[in-house]
């Protein structure tokens, strides 16, 4: 660690568990970690002080909240991957002298670096050699050394290197704010932070190449973007590569086609999915599940139109706040209309149609409402990124006294929904940052709303993180990040608190004092988008849906035409019991029928031959399990009904 000078002043450091320790001002993050334990200091990658991520060897001169970032924390991973991007650039410079470097940030999974290779067209076949060089450099355990320099010095450095991209970046930086980081023989313009030394990087995989215009502007030169990921242990990389292979097998676009769930048709339009019969059954089953749960919890369902007068969205602020992601207004007579980008303004107008008493509240309006957003064609991706999608939207209008209890009910509902699918949930409180242009409403409303959300989370004993700058433009929110069967994280449900829209739409209720008051609005959507949630669900279950969701629940397979009538009789009784069943009455071998039912991932197969017909039984097979034995038909019908009613999960989701 770099040496530092302390002064006589002291600082008070507050740790995540709320306990505090006092240190001399200028104590480094590494020294603070060492004070807790030697193992923590060894595992530490950076620190986060008052939401600012810092190098471990930087002196801490102010009191505040601190987290010691290891690989297990998000800030730790981001520090690790940012440092790995520098290691990639160092390896490329060593192997390809004269390259020019753009930017190399950490991303959600790994890192990338944009590089100008000049006349050389680098190929994927060259990536293993770059990986090998990165590991070779990592083993030198070179420290990442931070240096503050003047703008003139930085400009002169990159003029000598004839690097137009770093010079372009320097144009935007002010003197006194510029830092270089050096590891080994490599120096880069960078704000940091970085891990202590390169030796922390034990395993690297460069995943792909892509073209990337400098600054994202097609008028600029296209650079080569190298994507990669790194880990502190080889075992972690092996597990990650296994997960990628699993993800390829589970790709919802592949399975969606094989299972006949949805289609994208060029004549209909990109990003506008068509739900096929099997997919429609799946989606309607999800909707029915949530609809029934909402009715039990006091929601009232509404339906709103797909377009509305532009004035509605100007009042809400969705236009022009999100103008770039919305379709252009449509001229109708002497007015302008727009395809619905959000359901909430429509619900606000429903609330405003009559005067409400405090006795009427809370009012909970729900809708499976289809909305439309303009997404760039390059961003469209199966069901997960589309231009037309349906939200499981609900808006709760309540008094301030009711607010906390309603938020708790929303959190409880959302957690319950994801528990049904065996999806663990991480919770993030998304607050605003200091960029007031991004957010609407008065500051005091924001402060109040953020305080109340945090209080609810604490009262419920939730384990959460706080993300500044991630709020909606009209209020802070609680985001639910689920983990699927192979460990990937997806941000899905939200609960948003809103003091802004009641002002914009002049929403009121008559209080017990006979005076008008503003209600508070909670925006809530457990699934988020039905399309995106379905894409995640397909991959979570790898298409092997639990019985209650499966489009076809039972395939009846007569061993010959002689038993078709018996199979049809059983199918009729299954359907009368609410079980989706179909007879495969083709004149084919039973082995072929079984194989095709397995390929279609049908949960249950009832094989019917002479013995089964005589004894009123069925030979039962379970998808991925095989033969379960012979059972009385009535007995197994009751078993299936019980499994569906209780929404049992497959024994092995993986």
């Amino acid at each position: 660690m770099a040496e530092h000078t302390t002064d006589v002043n002291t600082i008070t450091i507050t740790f995540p568990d709320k306990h505090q320790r006092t240190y001399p001002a200028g104590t480094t993050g590494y020294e603070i970690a060492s004070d807790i334990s030697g193992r923590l200091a060894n595992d530490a990658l950076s620190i986060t002080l008052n939401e600012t991520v810092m190098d471990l060897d930087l002196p801490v001169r102010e009191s505040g909240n601190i987290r010691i970032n290891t690989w297990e924390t998000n800030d730790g991973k981001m520090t690790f991957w940012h440092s790995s991007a520098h290691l990639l650039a160092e390896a490329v410079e060593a192997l390809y002298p004269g390259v020019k470097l753009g930017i190399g940030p950490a991303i959600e999974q790994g890192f990338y670096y944009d590089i100008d290779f000049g006349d050389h067209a680098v190929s994927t076949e060259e990536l293993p050699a770059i990986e090998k060089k990165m590991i070779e450099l990592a083993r030198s355990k070179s420290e990442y050394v931070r240096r503050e320099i003047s703008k003139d010095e930085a400009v002169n450095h990159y003029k000598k290197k004839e690097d137009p991209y770093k010079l372009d970046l320097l144009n935007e930086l002010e003197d006194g704010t510029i830092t270089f980081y050096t590891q080994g023989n490599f120096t880069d313009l960078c704000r940091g932070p970085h891990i202590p030394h390169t030796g922390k990087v034990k395993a690297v995989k460069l995943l792909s190449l892509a073209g990337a215009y400098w600054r994202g502007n097609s008028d600029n030169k296209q650079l080569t973007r190298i994507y990669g990921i790194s880990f502190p242990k080889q075992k972690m990389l092996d597990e990650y590569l296994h997960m990628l292979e699993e993800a390829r097998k589970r790709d919802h676009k592949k399975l969606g086609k094989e299972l006949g769930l949805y289609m994208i048709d060029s004549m209909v339009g990109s990003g506008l999915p068509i739900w096929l019969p099997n997919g429609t059954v799946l989606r309607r089953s999800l909707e029915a599940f949530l609809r029934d749960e909402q009715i039990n919890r006091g929601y009232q369902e509404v339906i709103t139109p797909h377009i509305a007068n532009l004035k509605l969205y100007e009042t809400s602020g969705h236009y022009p706040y999100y103008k770039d992601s919305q379709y252009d207004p449509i001229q109708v007579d002497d007015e302008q209309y727009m395809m619905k980008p959000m359901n909430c303004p429509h619900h606000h107008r429903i609330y405003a149609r009559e005067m409400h008493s405090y006795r009427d509240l809370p009012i909970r309006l729900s809708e499976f409402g289809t909305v439309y957003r303009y997404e760039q064609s390059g961003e469209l991706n199966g069901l997960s990124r589309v231009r037309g999608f349906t939200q499981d939207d609900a808006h709760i209008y309540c008094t301030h006294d009711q607010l906390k209890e309603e938020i708790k009910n929303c959190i409880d509902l959302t957690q319950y929904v994801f528990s049904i699918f065996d999806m663990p949930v991480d919770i993030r409180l998304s607050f605003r940052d200091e960029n007031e242009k991004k957010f609407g409403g008065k500051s005091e409303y924001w402060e109040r709303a953020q305080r109340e959300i945090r209080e609810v989370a604490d009262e419920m004993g939730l384990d959460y993180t706080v993300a500044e700058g991630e709020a909606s433009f009209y209020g802070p929110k609680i985001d639910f990040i689920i983990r699927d069967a192979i460990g990937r994280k997806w941000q899905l449900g939200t609960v948003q608190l809103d003091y802004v829209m009641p002002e914009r739409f002049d929403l009121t209720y008559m209080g017990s004092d006979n005076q008008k008051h503003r209600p508070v609005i909670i925006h809530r959507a457990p699934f988020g988008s039905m399309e995106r949630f379905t894409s995640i669900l397909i991959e979570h279950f790898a298409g092997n849906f639990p019985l209650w969701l499966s489009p076809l629940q039972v395939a009846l397979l007569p061993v010959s035409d002689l038993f078709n009538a018996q199979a049809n009789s059983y199918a009729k009784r299954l359907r009368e019991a609410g079980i989706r069943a179909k007879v495969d009455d083709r004149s084919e071998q039973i082995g072929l029928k079984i194989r095709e039912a397995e390929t279609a991932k049908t949960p249950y197969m009832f094989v019917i031959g002479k013995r089964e017909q005589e004894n009123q039984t069925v030979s039962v097979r379970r998808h991925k399990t095989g033969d379960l034995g012979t059972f009385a038909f009535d007995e197994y019908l009751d078993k299936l009904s019980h499994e569906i009613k209780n929404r049992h999960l497959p024994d092995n989701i993986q």
Side-chain angles (χ1 to χ4, degrees):
M1 294 293 113
E3 293 186 1
H4 66 276
T5 303
T6 61
D7 59 29
V8 296
N9 296 323
T10 60
I11 55 174
T12 300
I13 295 299
T14 304
F15 295 92
D17 63 1
K18 306 303 180 187
H19 93 270
Q20 296 181 326
R21 296 189 187 185
T22 301
Y23 298 94
T27 301
T28 66
Y30 179 79
E31 291 168 336
I32 294 172
S34 298
D35 186 47
I36 299 172
S37 78
R39 181 173 181 177
L40 179 61
N42 183 66
D43 292 343
L45 301 172
S46 62
I47 66 168
T48 300
L49 178 67
N50 297 328
E51 304 304 323
T52 298
V53 188
M54 298 170 50
D55 297 321
L56 278 172
D57 63 353
L58 284 182
V60 179
R61 301 195 181 280
E62 62 179 278
S63 298
N65 298 308
I66 195 171
R67 292 193 304 273
I68 309 299
N69 298 320
T70 66
W71 175 259
E72 302 306 319
T73 67
N74 186 63
D75 285 347
K77 286 185 175 71
M78 291 297 105
T79 306
F80 192 93
W81 285 330
H82 185 195
S83 301
S84 300
H86 279 229
L87 194 60
L88 166 60
E90 182 183 9
V92 168
E93 272 200 348
L95 295 173
Y96 304 88
V99 296
K100 309 301 179 187
L101 302 176
I103 58 172
I107 54 177
E108 185 175 357
Q109 287 289 320
F111 56 88
Y112 69 77
Y113 216 113
D114 290 343
I115 302 169
D116 184 349
F117 282 87
D119 295 332
H120 177 67
V122 68
S123 68
T124 54
E125 286 73 21
E126 297 170 71
L127 296 182
I130 301 175
E131 291 171 7
K132 183 178 179 181
K133 187 65 176 178
M134 289 177 69
I135 294 299
E136 176 189 322
L137 294 169
R139 288 173 179 158
S140 69
K141 296 185 178 180
S142 300
E143 290 189 8
Y144 287 88
V145 180
R146 184 177 189 269
R147 183 161 60 100
E148 297 179 2
I149 62 171
S150 68
K151 186 167 184 175
D152 285 343
E153 185 181 354
V155 169
N156 289 335
H157 174 85
Y158 284 111
K159 279 185 175 178
K160 289 179 182 178
K161 296 191 68 158
E162 298 181 347
D163 193 324
Y165 309 108
K166 300 297 184 182
L167 290 170
D168 188 19
L169 294 173
L170 282 167
N171 285 335
E172 298 178 352
L173 302 180
E174 296 181 3
D175 202 1
T177 66
I178 299 169
T179 54
F180 277 4
Y181 276 83
T182 299
Q183 89 267 8
N185 296 318
F186 177 75
T187 297
D188 204 355
L189 172 69
C190 182
R191 290 181 300 178
H194 286 284
I195 60 179
H197 59 80
T198 60
K200 297 280 186 182
V201 180
K202 303 292 187 183
V204 174
K205 181 65 177 178
L206 299 181
L207 300 167
S208 62
L209 298 172
Y213 292 108
W214 175 242
R215 300 278 198 167
N217 187 339
S218 59
D219 292 333
N220 293 334
K221 185 171 182 179
Q222 189 176 68
L223 309 184
T224 299
R225 177 170 294 179
I226 302 179
Y227 285 98
I229 197 165
S230 58
F231 295 90
K233 295 179 181 178
Q234 180 64 39
K235 181 182 177 183
M236 292 179 177
L237 174 59
D238 294 340
E239 290 171 348
Y240 177 78
L241 295 176
H242 175 72
M243 183 274 290
L244 286 185
E245 181 58 31
E246 272 297 307
R248 279 189 281 271
K249 294 176 185 176
R250 294 166 180 258
D251 184 356
H252 80 275
K253 297 185 293 296
K254 170 179 172 287
L255 290 175
K257 182 177 181 179
E258 291 175 357
L259 300 178
L261 300 177
Y262 78 97
M263 62 180 281
I264 304 290
D265 183 77
S266 59
M267 290 188 71
V268 174
S270 300
L272 299 172
I274 296 172
W275 294 86
L276 300 174
N278 284 347
T280 300
V281 171
L282 174 61
R283 174 170 156 175
R284 293 300 189 215
S285 298
L286 289 169
E287 291 178 358
F289 156 61
L290 185 55
R291 180 177 286 112
D292 290 346
E293 191 61 34
Q294 289 176 157
I295 290 171
N296 290 337
R297 293 173 184 248
Y299 287 80
Q300 303 173 78
E301 191 167 10
V302 298
I303 299 174
T304 61
H306 290 239
I307 66 171
N309 195 299
L310 184 62
K311 292 177 182 177
L312 179 69
Y313 306 115
E314 289 175 336
T315 300
S316 69
H318 291 105
Y319 189 92
Y321 270 96
Y322 297 139
K323 181 179 178 181
D324 292 342
S325 64
Q326 296 172 7
Y327 285 96
D328 290 338
I330 306 163
Q331 193 70 32
V332 181
D333 298 328
D334 58 348
E335 295 183 308
Q336 287 188 304
Y337 282 71
M338 196 167 75
M339 296 179 71
K340 179 170 62 172
M342 287 281 192
N343 297 304
C344 38
H346 299 249
H347 292 190
H348 303 335
R349 294 301 297 159
I350 292 173
Y351 177 90
R353 81 191 192 282
E354 60 181 321
M355 188 63 199
H356 298 283
S357 163
Y358 70 97
R359 293 187 180 90
D360 301 327
L361 275 53
I363 291 173
R364 307 180 186 99
L365 303 179
S366 66
E367 177 179 17
F368 290 96
T370 302
V371 298
Y372 302 89
R373 312 270 178 86
Y374 175 70
E375 300 283 359
Q376 298 291 331
S377 58
E379 297 175 341
L380 298 175
N381 182 24
L383 288 177
S384 62
R385 197 72 179 265
V386 293
R387 288 173 172 163
F389 56 95
T390 301
Q391 293 178 310
D392 57 324
D393 246 341
H395 297 90
I396 301 166
Y397 304 83
C398 62
T399 69
H400 189 264
D401 290 341
Q402 298 166 334
L403 178 62
K404 282 190 176 181
E405 193 62 30
E406 289 301 313
I407 295 175
K408 290 177 182 178
N409 290 339
C410 289
I411 293 171
D412 179 71
L413 171 62
T414 305
Q415 291 181 315
Y416 170 72
V417 165
F418 294 135
S419 72
I420 291 295
F421 306 102
D422 195 27
M423 292 175 166
V425 179
D426 296 329
I427 293 176
R428 181 180 68 208
L429 308 186
S430 295
F431 291 167
R432 79 171 187 175
D433 55 24
E434 296 179 357
N435 185 356
E436 295 187 359
K437 293 181 180 179
K438 289 166 52 180
F439 308 102
K442 300 175 183 177
S443 293
E444 57 263 34
Y445 291 159
W446 277 89
E447 292 169 6
R448 181 179 185 179
Q450 292 181 175
R451 182 180 68 253
E452 288 163 335
I453 280 182
R454 193 188 289 266
E455 287 173 355
V456 166
D458 289 338
E459 289 172 12
M460 295 184 72
L462 302 179
D463 183 13
Y464 62 84
T465 59
V466 175
E468 294 189 353
E470 296 298 319
S472 169
F473 87 92
Y474 49 80
K477 58 181 178 171
I478 304 169
D479 290 322
F480 297 83
I481 297 95
I482 63 98
R483 292 194 300 277
D484 68 13
I486 57 175
R488 295 173 300 178
K489 292 186 177 183
W490 309 91
Q491 196 275 305
L492 283 175
T494 60
V495 175
Q496 301 177 12
L497 188 53
D498 179 6
Y499 283 98
V500 175
M501 293 302 151
E503 294 276 350
R504 293 194 174 204
F505 283 89
D506 192 25
L507 304 182
T508 61
Y509 68 90
M510 192 65 69
S512 58
D513 57 359
N514 268 346
Q515 300 296 315
K516 287 185 177 180
H517 300 269
R518 297 275 185 223
V520 188
I521 301 174
I522 301 171
H523 303 243
R524 183 242 66 192
F527 291 144
S529 153
M530 297 302 296
E531 284 72 11
R532 185 166 180 267
F533 182 74
T534 301
S535 76
I536 294 167
L537 206 64
I538 293 168
E539 298 188 5
H540 177 60
F541 288 115
N544 302 307
F545 301 113
L547 184 62
W548 70 277
L549 277 180
S550 184
L552 177 62
Q553 294 167 323
V554 180
L556 294 108
L557 311 178
V559 298
S560 76
D561 295 346
L562 296 173
F563 310 106
N564 285 350
Q566 183 72 15
N568 280 299
S569 174
Y570 284 159
K572 182 174 182 292
R573 290 182 61 191
L574 287 166
R575 287 193 288 266
E576 287 171 349
I579 298 171
R580 296 184 286 274
K582 184 178 180 181
V583 176
D584 184 348
D585 56 6
R586 296 174 300 161
S587 299
E588 299 286 357
Q589 294 294 318
I590 189 64
L592 175 65
K593 293 182 180 182
I594 290 172
R595 285 195 300 275
E596 292 188 356
E598 281 285 344
T599 300
K601 302 183 186 294
T602 307
Y604 284 97
M605 289 149 268
F606 286 1
V607 179
I608 302 159
K610 181 179 180 181
R611 185 178 60 181
E612 287 81 14
Q613 180 169 274
E614 290 175 349
N615 298 326
Q616 293 295 295
T617 60
V618 286
S619 179
V620 180
R621 298 185 63 87
R622 186 70 165 94
H623 175 56
K624 294 182 69 176
T625 302
D627 183 29
L628 298 182
T630 301
F631 301 86
F633 175 79
D634 289 340
E635 175 189 347
Y636 226 81
L637 188 153
D638 290 341
K639 182 185 182 303
L640 294 179
S641 297
H642 182 267
E643 185 175 339
I644 291 167
K645 179 181 178 181
N646 291 281
R647 300 190 182 92
H648 287 173
L649 291 170
D651 291 335
N652 185 1
I653 293 177
Q654 301 252 2

